[in-house]
Amino acid sequence: MLLNCGQPLPLLRHTDVPPRVIENFILTGYRFPNYSLRDCLLSAFRPTNETGNFWTHFLPVFIFSYYFVEVFGWEGAPHSDAPFFYPLWNYFIGVFCLLMASSMAHLLNSMSLVVREVCFFVDYGTISSYTVGSSLAYYYYIHPRAGIVETGGRNGSHVDLKDEPAGSLTSPYAIPDFCVFFETFYIPSACVVAIICVLSCCNSRQRWRRHRYVIRTFVFLLPFLVSSTPVFYRLLTRSPYSTTSSSFAASASTASYFYRHCLWLLVSAVFNISKFPERLAPGRFDIWGHSHQWFHCCTFLSILDELHMIKTEVRAILLSPTLLLPPATLSRLPGPTIASTYGVMFLLQTTIVSIIVWFSWHANCIYGPERDQLVKENPKKQMKCH
């Protein structure tokens, strides 16, 4: 916090701040929870125990954006505002909001105890929105039938089906009844699971606090499993593209990107639960190198590999000579619309905002009196410089 003379107040030890603010095994570098907005913003350039948490998700916004816009410069790609790119833009919105909400939550949470709760409620909400944004991209770009055009009820693409068993053309799905789930319940399931995750994570800030990190980590495992079903299907079955086509070659790296995406998620979960390395040396990693900073780095690397995976599939679709854009010729895979992409995200965001408002009101009832008491006991000192 800055005094009137421009000098920052000293950072505090864990014994000098409210218990609600204390993080496991982090002993120093705390800001007292009565900073102004200006003080919070300036603290991004001070070595506090939140500085690294801010920068490890703020800088990735620009890295992600750089790799994201490459798609629109590809040969054969439609204009950036074409319906074909609606799912990709929803994915971008989900990632952008996740990274910005996370970085701002770590930067602004010292304004008060109530603001701290609201910041992390918003953080959890954007994580859930990101998972649905990913699901929309998976649905339209990693769909099991992507690139396959139906003609007269039979597969009319150039996929090599000579060696397929008799009767295999009656259904494009190698796993029976998968089409029912994927084409009817996949997106609704992703939305329902996302809402459950928001409710559970917000609740973990008011209950089950002893095991909150474990709960949050495993709660977000569920949307990963649901949203990744198209990728699991693609890995377990044959590619929809001919082995001699450029689309097949373009999508060949999908598996490696997905495995790396999973690896980084696993490593991030280990850091989030174990609290390594600060658990081994409390106080040594208070400012730089503690587990939450590594958690941020690993989650971003997983997102970056996911982006490369989605771009790989987008390129494969663009290279498919049987696919017209927008893909209205796919009888079982209609092209993206505003309602099926932005509309889904809008309804989800409205629901999530309602949940955040409810939990924020409850947090104000709990921590409002404590916030007011802290303001009385620790008024901001006004000093004059001579």
Side-chain angles (χ1 to χ4, degrees), residues 174-206:
I175 301 176
D177 300 327
F178 182 75
C179 61
V180 176
F181 165 76
F182 196 85
E183 296 177 358
T184 307
F185 300 110
Y186 173 65
I187 295 299
S189 297
C191 293
V192 170
V193 169
I195 293 171
I196 292 174
C197 287
V198 177
L199 289 168
S200 301
C201 288
C202 289
N203 211 28
S204 71
R205 298 195 65 82
Q206 299 175 357

PDB file of all heavy atoms in Angstrom, residues 174-206:
ATOM      1  N   ALA A 174     -17.887 -45.951 -34.634  1.00  0.00           N
ATOM      2  CA  ALA A 174     -17.371 -47.275 -34.327  1.00  0.00           C
ATOM      3  C   ALA A 174     -17.887 -47.788 -32.995  1.00  0.00           C
ATOM      4  O   ALA A 174     -17.967 -48.986 -32.768  1.00  0.00           O
ATOM      5  CB  ALA A 174     -15.833 -47.244 -34.313  1.00  0.00           C
ATOM      6  N   ILE A 175     -18.234 -46.875 -32.094  1.00  0.00           N
ATOM      7  CA  ILE A 175     -18.765 -47.255 -30.789  1.00  0.00           C
ATOM      8  C   ILE A 175     -20.275 -47.082 -30.825  1.00  0.00           C
ATOM      9  O   ILE A 175     -20.769 -45.967 -31.016  1.00  0.00           O
ATOM     10  CB  ILE A 175     -18.151 -46.405 -29.670  1.00  0.00           C
ATOM     11  CG1 ILE A 175     -16.623 -46.583 -29.671  1.00  0.00           C
ATOM     12  CG2 ILE A 175     -18.728 -46.784 -28.313  1.00  0.00           C
ATOM     13  CD1 ILE A 175     -15.912 -45.709 -28.647  1.00  0.00           C
ATOM     14  N   PRO A 176     -21.050 -48.152 -30.663  1.00  0.00           N
ATOM     15  CA  PRO A 176     -22.513 -48.061 -30.745  1.00  0.00           C
ATOM     16  C   PRO A 176     -23.090 -47.034 -29.786  1.00  0.00           C
ATOM     17  O   PRO A 176     -22.625 -46.885 -28.659  1.00  0.00           O
ATOM     18  CB  PRO A 176     -22.955 -49.489 -30.377  1.00  0.00           C
ATOM     19  CG  PRO A 176     -21.774 -50.350 -30.687  1.00  0.00           C
ATOM     20  CD  PRO A 176     -20.568 -49.516 -30.404  1.00  0.00           C
ATOM     21  N   ASP A 177     -24.099 -46.341 -30.252  1.00  0.00           N
ATOM     22  CA  ASP A 177     -24.855 -45.367 -29.463  1.00  0.00           C
ATOM     23  C   ASP A 177     -24.040 -44.142 -29.066  1.00  0.00           C
ATOM     24  O   ASP A 177     -24.531 -43.285 -28.323  1.00  0.00           O
ATOM     25  CB  ASP A 177     -25.436 -46.013 -28.188  1.00  0.00           C
ATOM     26  CG  ASP A 177     -26.384 -47.153 -28.497  1.00  0.00           C
ATOM     27  OD1 ASP A 177     -27.069 -47.064 -29.535  1.00  0.00           O
ATOM     28  OD2 ASP A 177     -26.428 -48.111 -27.713  1.00  0.00           O
ATOM     29  N   PHE A 178     -22.803 -44.035 -29.522  1.00  0.00           N
ATOM     30  CA  PHE A 178     -22.030 -42.843 -29.175  1.00  0.00           C
ATOM     31  C   PHE A 178     -22.653 -41.599 -29.790  1.00  0.00           C
ATOM     32  O   PHE A 178     -22.599 -40.515 -29.208  1.00  0.00           O
ATOM     33  CB  PHE A 178     -20.584 -42.999 -29.653  1.00  0.00           C
ATOM     34  CG  PHE A 178     -19.709 -41.826 -29.296  1.00  0.00           C
ATOM     35  CD1 PHE A 178     -19.259 -41.644 -28.001  1.00  0.00           C
ATOM     36  CD2 PHE A 178     -19.358 -40.894 -30.259  1.00  0.00           C
ATOM     37  CE1 PHE A 178     -18.466 -40.566 -27.673  1.00  0.00           C
ATOM     38  CE2 PHE A 178     -18.561 -39.810 -29.936  1.00  0.00           C
ATOM     39  CZ  PHE A 178     -18.108 -39.648 -28.636  1.00  0.00           C
ATOM     40  N   CYS A 179     -23.256 -41.749 -30.975  1.00  0.00           N
ATOM     41  CA  CYS A 179     -23.851 -40.594 -31.635  1.00  0.00           C
ATOM     42  C   CYS A 179     -24.955 -39.977 -30.799  1.00  0.00           C
ATOM     43  O   CYS A 179     -25.148 -38.758 -30.799  1.00  0.00           O
ATOM     44  CB  CYS A 179     -24.381 -40.975 -33.012  1.00  0.00           C
ATOM     45  SG  CYS A 179     -25.667 -42.226 -32.980  1.00  0.00           S
ATOM     46  N   VAL A 180     -25.690 -40.805 -30.051  1.00  0.00           N
ATOM     47  CA  VAL A 180     -26.784 -40.286 -29.222  1.00  0.00           C
ATOM     48  C   VAL A 180     -26.235 -39.345 -28.167  1.00  0.00           C
ATOM     49  O   VAL A 180     -26.757 -38.237 -27.954  1.00  0.00           O
ATOM     50  CB  VAL A 180     -27.560 -41.447 -28.560  1.00  0.00           C
ATOM     51  CG1 VAL A 180     -28.641 -40.901 -27.624  1.00  0.00           C
ATOM     52  CG2 VAL A 180     -28.168 -42.347 -29.628  1.00  0.00           C
ATOM     53  N   PHE A 181     -25.167 -39.772 -27.505  1.00  0.00           N
ATOM     54  CA  PHE A 181     -24.561 -38.912 -26.495  1.00  0.00           C
ATOM     55  C   PHE A 181     -23.953 -37.675 -27.132  1.00  0.00           C
ATOM     56  O   PHE A 181     -24.202 -36.544 -26.702  1.00  0.00           O
ATOM     57  CB  PHE A 181     -23.477 -39.670 -25.721  1.00  0.00           C
ATOM     58  CG  PHE A 181     -22.566 -38.766 -24.930  1.00  0.00           C
ATOM     59  CD1 PHE A 181     -22.993 -38.193 -23.743  1.00  0.00           C
ATOM     60  CD2 PHE A 181     -21.289 -38.461 -25.396  1.00  0.00           C
ATOM     61  CE1 PHE A 181     -22.162 -37.336 -23.025  1.00  0.00           C
ATOM     62  CE2 PHE A 181     -20.456 -37.613 -24.688  1.00  0.00           C
ATOM     63  CZ  PHE A 181     -20.890 -37.053 -23.498  1.00  0.00           C
ATOM     64  N   PHE A 182     -23.159 -37.901 -28.184  1.00  0.00           N
ATOM     65  CA  PHE A 182     -22.381 -36.788 -28.713  1.00  0.00           C
ATOM     66  C   PHE A 182     -23.250 -35.729 -29.366  1.00  0.00           C
ATOM     67  O   PHE A 182     -23.047 -34.537 -29.163  1.00  0.00           O
ATOM     68  CB  PHE A 182     -21.347 -37.298 -29.715  1.00  0.00           C
ATOM     69  CG  PHE A 182     -20.288 -36.286 -30.003  1.00  0.00           C
ATOM     70  CD1 PHE A 182     -19.178 -36.171 -29.192  1.00  0.00           C
ATOM     71  CD2 PHE A 182     -20.417 -35.420 -31.075  1.00  0.00           C
ATOM     72  CE1 PHE A 182     -18.210 -35.219 -29.442  1.00  0.00           C
ATOM     73  CE2 PHE A 182     -19.454 -34.469 -31.338  1.00  0.00           C
ATOM     74  CZ  PHE A 182     -18.343 -34.383 -30.515  1.00  0.00           C
ATOM     75  N   GLU A 183     -24.221 -36.140 -30.151  1.00  0.00           N
ATOM     76  CA  GLU A 183     -24.997 -35.178 -30.913  1.00  0.00           C
ATOM     77  C   GLU A 183     -26.171 -34.603 -30.123  1.00  0.00           C
ATOM     78  O   GLU A 183     -26.749 -33.599 -30.520  1.00  0.00           O
ATOM     79  CB  GLU A 183     -25.492 -35.820 -32.204  1.00  0.00           C
ATOM     80  CG  GLU A 183     -24.340 -36.221 -33.122  1.00  0.00           C
ATOM     81  CD  GLU A 183     -24.815 -36.934 -34.372  1.00  0.00           C
ATOM     82  OE1 GLU A 183     -26.034 -37.136 -34.500  1.00  0.00           O
ATOM     83  OE2 GLU A 183     -23.962 -37.292 -35.205  1.00  0.00           O
ATOM     84  N   THR A 184     -26.497 -35.219 -28.985  1.00  0.00           N
ATOM     85  CA  THR A 184     -27.644 -34.746 -28.206  1.00  0.00           C
ATOM     86  C   THR A 184     -27.266 -34.235 -26.824  1.00  0.00           C
ATOM     87  O   THR A 184     -27.781 -33.211 -26.365  1.00  0.00           O
ATOM     88  CB  THR A 184     -28.688 -35.869 -28.051  1.00  0.00           C
ATOM     89  OG1 THR A 184     -29.023 -36.386 -29.336  1.00  0.00           O
ATOM     90  CG2 THR A 184     -29.940 -35.358 -27.357  1.00  0.00           C
ATOM     91  N   PHE A 185     -26.357 -34.918 -26.160  1.00  0.00           N
ATOM     92  CA  PHE A 185     -26.091 -34.622 -24.758  1.00  0.00           C
ATOM     93  C   PHE A 185     -24.711 -34.038 -24.473  1.00  0.00           C
ATOM     94  O   PHE A 185     -24.441 -33.623 -23.346  1.00  0.00           O
ATOM     95  CB  PHE A 185     -26.259 -35.901 -23.912  1.00  0.00           C
ATOM     96  CG  PHE A 185     -27.625 -36.498 -23.985  1.00  0.00           C
ATOM     97  CD1 PHE A 185     -27.855 -37.695 -24.648  1.00  0.00           C
ATOM     98  CD2 PHE A 185     -28.708 -35.856 -23.404  1.00  0.00           C
ATOM     99  CE1 PHE A 185     -29.115 -38.242 -24.721  1.00  0.00           C
ATOM    100  CE2 PHE A 185     -29.981 -36.394 -23.462  1.00  0.00           C
ATOM    101  CZ  PHE A 185     -30.188 -37.599 -24.124  1.00  0.00           C
ATOM    102  N   TYR A 186     -23.836 -34.015 -25.455  1.00  0.00           N
ATOM    103  CA  TYR A 186     -22.451 -33.607 -25.179  1.00  0.00           C
ATOM    104  C   TYR A 186     -22.371 -32.162 -24.667  1.00  0.00           C
ATOM    105  O   TYR A 186     -21.831 -31.909 -23.579  1.00  0.00           O
ATOM    106  CB  TYR A 186     -21.594 -33.774 -26.436  1.00  0.00           C
ATOM    107  CG  TYR A 186     -20.195 -33.226 -26.303  1.00  0.00           C
ATOM    108  CD1 TYR A 186     -19.284 -33.771 -25.409  1.00  0.00           C
ATOM    109  CD2 TYR A 186     -19.771 -32.145 -27.088  1.00  0.00           C
ATOM    110  CE1 TYR A 186     -18.002 -33.267 -25.287  1.00  0.00           C
ATOM    111  CE2 TYR A 186     -18.495 -31.640 -26.982  1.00  0.00           C
ATOM    112  CZ  TYR A 186     -17.614 -32.204 -26.077  1.00  0.00           C
ATOM    113  OH  TYR A 186     -16.343 -31.697 -25.957  1.00  0.00           O
ATOM    114  N   ILE A 187     -22.868 -31.199 -25.409  1.00  0.00           N
ATOM    115  CA  ILE A 187     -22.795 -29.798 -24.994  1.00  0.00           C
ATOM    116  C   ILE A 187     -23.629 -29.538 -23.735  1.00  0.00           C
ATOM    117  O   ILE A 187     -23.142 -28.885 -22.799  1.00  0.00           O
ATOM    118  CB  ILE A 187     -23.229 -28.864 -26.139  1.00  0.00           C
ATOM    119  CG1 ILE A 187     -22.247 -28.977 -27.311  1.00  0.00           C
ATOM    120  CG2 ILE A 187     -23.300 -27.421 -25.653  1.00  0.00           C
ATOM    121  CD1 ILE A 187     -20.822 -28.576 -26.980  1.00  0.00           C
ATOM    122  N   PRO A 188     -24.875 -30.041 -23.643  1.00  0.00           N
ATOM    123  CA  PRO A 188     -25.614 -29.859 -22.389  1.00  0.00           C
ATOM    124  C   PRO A 188     -24.895 -30.455 -21.181  1.00  0.00           C
ATOM    125  O   PRO A 188     -24.895 -29.859 -20.095  1.00  0.00           O
ATOM    126  CB  PRO A 188     -26.947 -30.581 -22.655  1.00  0.00           C
ATOM    127  CG  PRO A 188     -27.114 -30.515 -24.138  1.00  0.00           C
ATOM    128  CD  PRO A 188     -25.736 -30.647 -24.691  1.00  0.00           C
ATOM    129  N   SER A 189     -24.280 -31.620 -21.361  1.00  0.00           N
ATOM    130  CA  SER A 189     -23.534 -32.240 -20.257  1.00  0.00           C
ATOM    131  C   SER A 189     -22.362 -31.367 -19.839  1.00  0.00           C
ATOM    132  O   SER A 189     -22.094 -31.201 -18.635  1.00  0.00           O
ATOM    133  CB  SER A 189     -23.021 -33.618 -20.667  1.00  0.00           C
ATOM    134  OG  SER A 189     -24.087 -34.500 -20.941  1.00  0.00           O
ATOM    135  N   ALA A 190     -21.660 -30.805 -20.808  1.00  0.00           N
ATOM    136  CA  ALA A 190     -20.530 -29.932 -20.499  1.00  0.00           C
ATOM    137  C   ALA A 190     -20.991 -28.717 -19.695  1.00  0.00           C
ATOM    138  O   ALA A 190     -20.324 -28.297 -18.741  1.00  0.00           O
ATOM    139  CB  ALA A 190     -19.833 -29.492 -21.781  1.00  0.00           C
ATOM    140  N   CYS A 191     -22.144 -28.173 -20.050  1.00  0.00           N
ATOM    141  CA  CYS A 191     -22.670 -27.006 -19.328  1.00  0.00           C
ATOM    142  C   CYS A 191     -23.090 -27.366 -17.904  1.00  0.00           C
ATOM    143  O   CYS A 191     -22.793 -26.628 -16.951  1.00  0.00           O
ATOM    144  CB  CYS A 191     -23.846 -26.402 -20.092  1.00  0.00           C
ATOM    145  SG  CYS A 191     -23.397 -25.663 -21.680  1.00  0.00           S
ATOM    146  N   VAL A 192     -23.782 -28.492 -17.758  1.00  0.00           N
ATOM    147  CA  VAL A 192     -24.233 -28.917 -16.427  1.00  0.00           C
ATOM    148  C   VAL A 192     -23.041 -29.187 -15.522  1.00  0.00           C
ATOM    149  O   VAL A 192     -23.006 -28.762 -14.352  1.00  0.00           O
ATOM    150  CB  VAL A 192     -25.127 -30.171 -16.534  1.00  0.00           C
ATOM    151  CG1 VAL A 192     -25.393 -30.759 -15.148  1.00  0.00           C
ATOM    152  CG2 VAL A 192     -26.440 -29.829 -17.229  1.00  0.00           C
ATOM    153  N   VAL A 193     -22.044 -29.878 -16.032  1.00  0.00           N
ATOM    154  CA  VAL A 193     -20.845 -30.179 -15.243  1.00  0.00           C
ATOM    155  C   VAL A 193     -20.119 -28.891 -14.873  1.00  0.00           C
ATOM    156  O   VAL A 193     -19.603 -28.755 -13.759  1.00  0.00           O
ATOM    157  CB  VAL A 193     -19.925 -31.140 -16.021  1.00  0.00           C
ATOM    158  CG1 VAL A 193     -18.566 -31.245 -15.348  1.00  0.00           C
ATOM    159  CG2 VAL A 193     -20.559 -32.511 -16.134  1.00  0.00           C
ATOM    160  N   ALA A 194     -20.068 -27.932 -15.786  1.00  0.00           N
ATOM    161  CA  ALA A 194     -19.419 -26.654 -15.500  1.00  0.00           C
ATOM    162  C   ALA A 194     -20.121 -25.936 -14.349  1.00  0.00           C
ATOM    163  O   ALA A 194     -19.463 -25.367 -13.458  1.00  0.00           O
ATOM    164  CB  ALA A 194     -19.420 -25.777 -16.750  1.00  0.00           C
ATOM    165  N   ILE A 195     -21.431 -25.968 -14.338  1.00  0.00           N
ATOM    166  CA  ILE A 195     -22.193 -25.322 -13.257  1.00  0.00           C
ATOM    167  C   ILE A 195     -21.948 -26.037 -11.927  1.00  0.00           C
ATOM    168  O   ILE A 195     -21.777 -25.393 -10.877  1.00  0.00           O
ATOM    169  CB  ILE A 195     -23.688 -25.301 -13.614  1.00  0.00           C
ATOM    170  CG1 ILE A 195     -23.924 -24.371 -14.803  1.00  0.00           C
ATOM    171  CG2 ILE A 195     -24.521 -24.865 -12.413  1.00  0.00           C
ATOM    172  CD1 ILE A 195     -25.322 -24.440 -15.372  1.00  0.00           C
ATOM    173  N   ILE A 196     -21.898 -27.363 -11.957  1.00  0.00           N
ATOM    174  CA  ILE A 196     -21.608 -28.130 -10.744  1.00  0.00           C
ATOM    175  C   ILE A 196     -20.229 -27.761 -10.205  1.00  0.00           C
ATOM    176  O   ILE A 196     -20.030 -27.625  -8.989  1.00  0.00           O
ATOM    177  CB  ILE A 196     -21.692 -29.640 -11.031  1.00  0.00           C
ATOM    178  CG1 ILE A 196     -23.144 -30.038 -11.326  1.00  0.00           C
ATOM    179  CG2 ILE A 196     -21.146 -30.450  -9.854  1.00  0.00           C
ATOM    180  CD1 ILE A 196     -23.302 -31.482 -11.768  1.00  0.00           C
ATOM    181  N   CYS A 197     -19.274 -27.567 -11.096  1.00  0.00           N
ATOM    182  CA  CYS A 197     -17.918 -27.216 -10.678  1.00  0.00           C
ATOM    183  C   CYS A 197     -17.880 -25.848 -10.008  1.00  0.00           C
ATOM    184  O   CYS A 197     -17.194 -25.662  -9.001  1.00  0.00           O
ATOM    185  CB  CYS A 197     -16.982 -27.226 -11.881  1.00  0.00           C
ATOM    186  SG  CYS A 197     -16.603 -28.878 -12.480  1.00  0.00           S
ATOM    187  N   VAL A 198     -18.595 -24.883 -10.570  1.00  0.00           N
ATOM    188  CA  VAL A 198     -18.633 -23.555  -9.959  1.00  0.00           C
ATOM    189  C   VAL A 198     -19.226 -23.629  -8.557  1.00  0.00           C
ATOM    190  O   VAL A 198     -18.693 -23.053  -7.593  1.00  0.00           O
ATOM    191  CB  VAL A 198     -19.435 -22.576 -10.827  1.00  0.00           C
ATOM    192  CG1 VAL A 198     -19.538 -21.219 -10.146  1.00  0.00           C
ATOM    193  CG2 VAL A 198     -18.782 -22.409 -12.186  1.00  0.00           C
ATOM    194  N   LEU A 199     -20.334 -24.331  -8.429  1.00  0.00           N
ATOM    195  CA  LEU A 199     -20.980 -24.469  -7.119  1.00  0.00           C
ATOM    196  C   LEU A 199     -20.053 -25.134  -6.103  1.00  0.00           C
ATOM    197  O   LEU A 199     -19.926 -24.674  -4.957  1.00  0.00           O
ATOM    198  CB  LEU A 199     -22.271 -25.287  -7.261  1.00  0.00           C
ATOM    199  CG  LEU A 199     -23.436 -24.601  -7.983  1.00  0.00           C
ATOM    200  CD1 LEU A 199     -24.525 -25.614  -8.307  1.00  0.00           C
ATOM    201  CD2 LEU A 199     -23.994 -23.467  -7.134  1.00  0.00           C
ATOM    202  N   SER A 200     -19.368 -26.196  -6.519  1.00  0.00           N
ATOM    203  CA  SER A 200     -18.493 -26.926  -5.609  1.00  0.00           C
ATOM    204  C   SER A 200     -17.289 -26.096  -5.194  1.00  0.00           C
ATOM    205  O   SER A 200     -16.927 -26.046  -4.008  1.00  0.00           O
ATOM    206  CB  SER A 200     -18.022 -28.234  -6.258  1.00  0.00           C
ATOM    207  OG  SER A 200     -19.122 -29.048  -6.595  1.00  0.00           O
ATOM    208  N   CYS A 201     -16.649 -25.427  -6.160  1.00  0.00           N
ATOM    209  CA  CYS A 201     -15.445 -24.654  -5.846  1.00  0.00           C
ATOM    210  C   CYS A 201     -15.775 -23.429  -5.004  1.00  0.00           C
ATOM    211  O   CYS A 201     -15.031 -23.103  -4.070  1.00  0.00           O
ATOM    212  CB  CYS A 201     -14.746 -24.242  -7.132  1.00  0.00           C
ATOM    213  SG  CYS A 201     -13.929 -25.599  -7.975  1.00  0.00           S
ATOM    214  N   CYS A 202     -16.854 -22.740  -5.316  1.00  0.00           N
ATOM    215  CA  CYS A 202     -17.253 -21.603  -4.490  1.00  0.00           C
ATOM    216  C   CYS A 202     -17.590 -22.056  -3.071  1.00  0.00           C
ATOM    217  O   CYS A 202     -17.246 -21.389  -2.085  1.00  0.00           O
ATOM    218  CB  CYS A 202     -18.446 -20.889  -5.119  1.00  0.00           C
ATOM    219  SG  CYS A 202     -18.073 -19.982  -6.633  1.00  0.00           S
ATOM    220  N   ASN A 203     -18.236 -23.197  -2.968  1.00  0.00           N
ATOM    221  CA  ASN A 203     -18.593 -23.719  -1.654  1.00  0.00           C
ATOM    222  C   ASN A 203     -17.354 -24.116  -0.857  1.00  0.00           C
ATOM    223  O   ASN A 203     -17.350 -24.055   0.377  1.00  0.00           O
ATOM    224  CB  ASN A 203     -19.520 -24.921  -1.807  1.00  0.00           C
ATOM    225  CG  ASN A 203     -20.485 -25.068  -0.658  1.00  0.00           C
ATOM    226  OD1 ASN A 203     -20.848 -24.079  -0.010  1.00  0.00           O
ATOM    227  ND2 ASN A 203     -20.895 -26.285  -0.369  1.00  0.00           N
ATOM    228  N   SER A 204     -16.293 -24.517  -1.552  1.00  0.00           N
ATOM    229  CA  SER A 204     -15.078 -24.933  -0.846  1.00  0.00           C
ATOM    230  C   SER A 204     -14.373 -23.768  -0.172  1.00  0.00           C
ATOM    231  O   SER A 204     -13.482 -23.974   0.652  1.00  0.00           O
ATOM    232  CB  SER A 204     -14.110 -25.617  -1.823  1.00  0.00           C
ATOM    233  OG  SER A 204     -13.532 -24.688  -2.721  1.00  0.00           O
ATOM    234  N   ARG A 205     -14.760 -22.538  -0.490  1.00  0.00           N
ATOM    235  CA  ARG A 205     -14.195 -21.385   0.204  1.00  0.00           C
ATOM    236  C   ARG A 205     -14.933 -21.095   1.498  1.00  0.00           C
ATOM    237  O   ARG A 205     -14.454 -20.289   2.321  1.00  0.00           O
ATOM    238  CB  ARG A 205     -14.225 -20.141  -0.685  1.00  0.00           C
ATOM    239  CG  ARG A 205     -13.395 -20.263  -1.952  1.00  0.00           C
ATOM    240  CD  ARG A 205     -13.171 -18.902  -2.587  1.00  0.00           C
ATOM    241  NE  ARG A 205     -12.365 -18.047  -1.731  1.00  0.00           N
ATOM    242  CZ  ARG A 205     -11.026 -18.088  -1.674  1.00  0.00           C
ATOM    243  NH1 ARG A 205     -10.360 -18.949  -2.427  1.00  0.00           N
ATOM    244  NH2 ARG A 205     -10.384 -17.259  -0.885  1.00  0.00           N
ATOM    245  N   GLN A 206     -16.081 -21.725   1.689  1.00  0.00           N
ATOM    246  CA  GLN A 206     -16.855 -21.508   2.902  1.00  0.00           C
ATOM    247  C   GLN A 206     -17.029 -22.785   3.713  1.00  0.00           C
ATOM    248  O   GLN A 206     -17.314 -22.732   4.900  1.00  0.00           O
ATOM    249  CB  GLN A 206     -18.225 -20.920   2.528  1.00  0.00           C
ATOM    250  CG  GLN A 206     -18.095 -19.577   1.813  1.00  0.00           C
ATOM    251  CD  GLN A 206     -19.411 -19.033   1.318  1.00  0.00           C
ATOM    252  OE1 GLN A 206     -20.462 -19.666   1.437  1.00  0.00           O
ATOM    253  NE2 GLN A 206     -19.379 -17.838   0.745  1.00  0.00           N
TER     254      GLN A 206
END
